[in-house]
Amino acid sequence: MPPALHTLGILLFLLTGKVENVSFQQSSSQLVNEGTVKVKINCSHDDSSLTVMLWYQHKQSSQSMSLIGFGYASGSPNYEGQFEDQFKITREDTVRGALIIRRANLSDSAVYFCAARTHYNEPAYFGNGTKLTVLDPNIPITPPTVKILQPSLKECKDKKDKKNKKTLVCVASGFYPDHVSVFWQIEGENVTDGVATDNATLRDGKLYSITGRLRVPARTWHTPGRKFNCTVSFFNGTHTTYHSGLVYGTDLGQGEGMTREKYLQITQTAKLSYGVFIAKSSLYGVFVLVLVWKLQASSGKQSN
């Protein structure tokens, strides 16, 4: 078997050859319980000249992908080493096939890529991958906690300079499993410019975390009361839930922006202070009325 089929050191081969554009369809992300039998990942593409279909496994802890096996439209598939005991490769026709995990183990959690080529020594074309997570029965499904860190005070101070930027950092932590996506909104409108998210989640013990960033012009941040939302979508195996953090922009020179908690605290404090002021004013008014009444009563007695 050619050495090129044993290990793939990069995620994608250089795309060259007569095929300029190949469209792939792979199964969406999956969450399954440990011990689930026959987990199936489907793959299809739109070029019948690519007769060889290959399957790769990429684990987060690895810098490379491992070839599971490959097969033609007809005939038995070829497997790499021990993978034949764990997986089964099937083909419906030239452009459709599937990878079947015989029995899901925790070690099967990975991203599985379908690829296709004309011959073994030709470039391979890859699908987007299917993320599979085999749930650990000892870890409960836990949604993320989301918090936004305001821009540093040292990160550009002149809001009139159009080149100056402010960076907001969104931290989602304490979740399991790690099927999440991060997106941003300003005043309820989705934004994509200046957005960056970690390529992969980080695991601390049993739970995961991920960080996203939003860079905006300083003048955009220095608008008091402007809302900046970071929302994290979390797939728990049956449906997707959404978890958000919120901060408010601030005027230049006022220091850090306000979180939702700070904003509510300030408004509540302001309401309480106003209430105390009204109460004191009312008491003072009563005191003045009593004083006037006593003075009038005293003047009346003196005139008699």
Side-chain angles (χ1 to χ4, degrees), residues 149-159 161-169 194 213-222 228 250-253 255-256:
L149 306 180
Q150 296 87 5
S152 168
L153 294 175
K154 298 180 180 179
E155 185 184 19
C156 75
K157 296 182 178 180
D158 185 6
K159 69 178 179 180
D161 187 344
K162 295 182 179 181
K163 295 182 179 179
N164 283 338
K165 298 284 186 177
K166 285 290 189 180
T167 304
L168 290 78
V169 179
R213 290 156 295 279
L214 172 64
R215 296 199 72 207
V216 297
R219 64 184 183 279
T220 300
W221 169 250
H222 290 305
F228 297 83
T250 181
D251 197 2
L252 185 64
E256 294 184 344

Side-chain angles (χ1 to χ4, degrees), residues 26-28 30 32-42 55-57 59 68 79 83-90 98-113 130-134:
Q26 279 194 229
S27 298
S28 57
Q30 298 185 46
V32 300
N33 293 318
E34 187 178 21
T36 301
V37 177
K38 292 185 179 180
V39 179
K40 188 176 184 181
I41 300 174
N42 293 310
W55 287 94
Y56 290 87
Q57 181 191 66
K59 293 189 175 183
I68 297 172
Y79 297 91
F83 285 125
E84 187 171 3
D85 297 331
Q86 299 170 255
F87 302 94
K88 180 181 179 182
I89 295 174
T90 64
L99 176 70
I100 297 174
I101 294 90
R102 298 181 186 276
R103 185 179 182 86
N105 297 309
L106 294 178
S107 60
D108 294 324
S109 294
V111 179
Y112 292 90
F113 289 91
T130 296
K131 184 173 184 177
L132 172 69
T133 296
V134 182

Side-chain angles (χ1 to χ4, degrees), residues 195-256:
V195 171
T197 305
D198 292 345
N199 291 328
T201 56
L202 295 177
R203 190 162 190 173
D204 183 10
K206 295 181 177 180
L207 303 179
Y208 291 92
S209 64
I210 194 169
T211 301
R213 290 156 295 279
L214 172 64
R215 296 199 72 207
V216 297
R219 64 184 183 279
T220 300
W221 169 250
H222 290 305
T223 303
R226 177 168 284 172
K227 296 179 181 180
F228 297 83
N229 287 87
C230 171
T231 300
V232 178
S233 64
F234 172 70
F235 181 59
N236 60 17
T238 57
H239 61 279
T240 300
T241 59
Y242 298 90
H243 309 267
S244 298
L246 170 66
V247 293
Y248 293 86
T250 181
D251 197 2
L252 185 64
Q254 287 187 354
E256 294 184 344

Side-chain angles (χ1 to χ4, degrees), residues 3-301:
L5 290 179
H6 285 276
T7 304
L8 182 62
I10 56 176
L11 293 182
L12 296 175
F13 284 110
L14 178 64
L15 300 186
T16 59
K18 65 176 183 179
V19 181
E20 296 182 357
N21 196 2
V22 182
S23 177
F24 279 83
Q25 295 292 330
Q26 279 194 229
S27 298
S28 57
S29 298
Q30 298 185 46
L31 291 175
V32 300
N33 293 318
E34 187 178 21
T36 301
V37 177
K38 292 185 179 180
V39 179
K40 188 176 184 181
I41 300 174
N42 293 310
C43 174
S44 65
H45 60 81
D46 61 357
D47 195 301
S48 58
S49 69
L50 303 176
T51 57
V52 183
M53 184 171 286
L54 311 93
W55 287 94
Y56 290 87
Q57 181 191 66
H58 179 235
K59 293 189 175 183
Q60 185 173 329
S61 59
S62 175
Q63 297 300 316
S64 62
M65 292 198 294
S66 299
L67 175 66
I68 297 172
F70 67 96
Y72 292 84
S74 60
S76 299
N78 297 273
Y79 297 91
E80 291 291 308
Q82 79 284 1
F83 285 125
E84 187 171 3
D85 297 331
Q86 299 170 255
F87 302 94
K88 180 181 179 182
I89 295 174
T90 64
R91 293 292 294 273
E92 292 184 41
D93 51 38
T94 303
V95 297
R96 291 181 296 175
L99 176 70
I100 297 174
I101 294 90
R102 298 181 186 276
R103 185 179 182 86
N105 297 309
L106 294 178
S107 60
D108 294 324
S109 294
V111 179
Y112 292 90
F113 289 91
C114 170
R117 56 164 46 133
T118 54
H119 302 289
Y120 73 84
N121 60 348
E122 294 292 329
Y125 300 82
F126 280 74
N128 292 326
T130 296
K131 184 173 184 177
L132 172 69
T133 296
V134 182
L135 295 171
D136 188 330
N138 297 314
I139 306 177
I141 292 177
T142 308
T145 298
V146 181
K147 182 179 180 180
I148 300 179
L149 306 180
Q150 296 87 5
S152 168
L153 294 175
K154 298 180 180 179
E155 185 184 19
C156 75
K157 296 182 178 180
D158 185 6
K159 69 178 179 180
K160 295 181 180 180
D161 187 344
K162 295 182 179 181
K163 295 182 179 179
N164 283 338
K165 298 284 186 177
K166 285 290 189 180
T167 304
L168 290 78
V169 179
C170 177
V171 180
S173 59
F175 56 89
Y176 180 84
D178 62 336
H179 287 237
V180 294
S181 297
V182 180
F183 61 93
W184 290 85
Q185 291 182 321
I186 299 177
E187 288 295 310
E189 297 292 331
N190 293 335
V191 292
T192 55
D193 290 341
V195 171
T197 305
D198 292 345
N199 291 328
T201 56
L202 295 177
R203 190 162 190 173
D204 183 10
K206 295 181 177 180
L207 303 179
Y208 291 92
S209 64
I210 194 169
T211 301
R213 290 156 295 279
L214 172 64
R215 296 199 72 207
V216 297
R219 64 184 183 279
T220 300
W221 169 250
H222 290 305
T223 303
R226 177 168 284 172
K227 296 179 181 180
F228 297 83
N229 287 87
C230 171
T231 300
V232 178
S233 64
F234 172 70
F235 181 59
N236 60 17
T238 57
H239 61 279
T240 300
T241 59
Y242 298 90
H243 309 267
S244 298
L246 170 66
V247 293
Y248 293 86
T250 181
D251 197 2
L252 185 64
Q254 287 187 354
E256 294 184 344
M258 293 182 289
T259 62
R260 181 180 180 84
E261 290 73 19
K262 281 186 180 180
Y263 180 81
L264 292 175
Q265 182 180 4
I266 291 172
T267 55
Q268 290 297 327
T269 300
K271 289 179 182 178
L272 180 61
S273 299
Y274 183 72
V276 171
F277 172 76
I278 294 298
K280 287 183 176 180
S281 299
S282 300
L283 290 174
Y284 181 75
V286 171
F287 171 76
V288 171
L289 288 175
V290 171
L291 182 61
V292 170
W293 178 78
K294 286 185 176 181
L295 289 174
Q296 289 177 345
S298 175
S299 297
K301 289 180 180 180

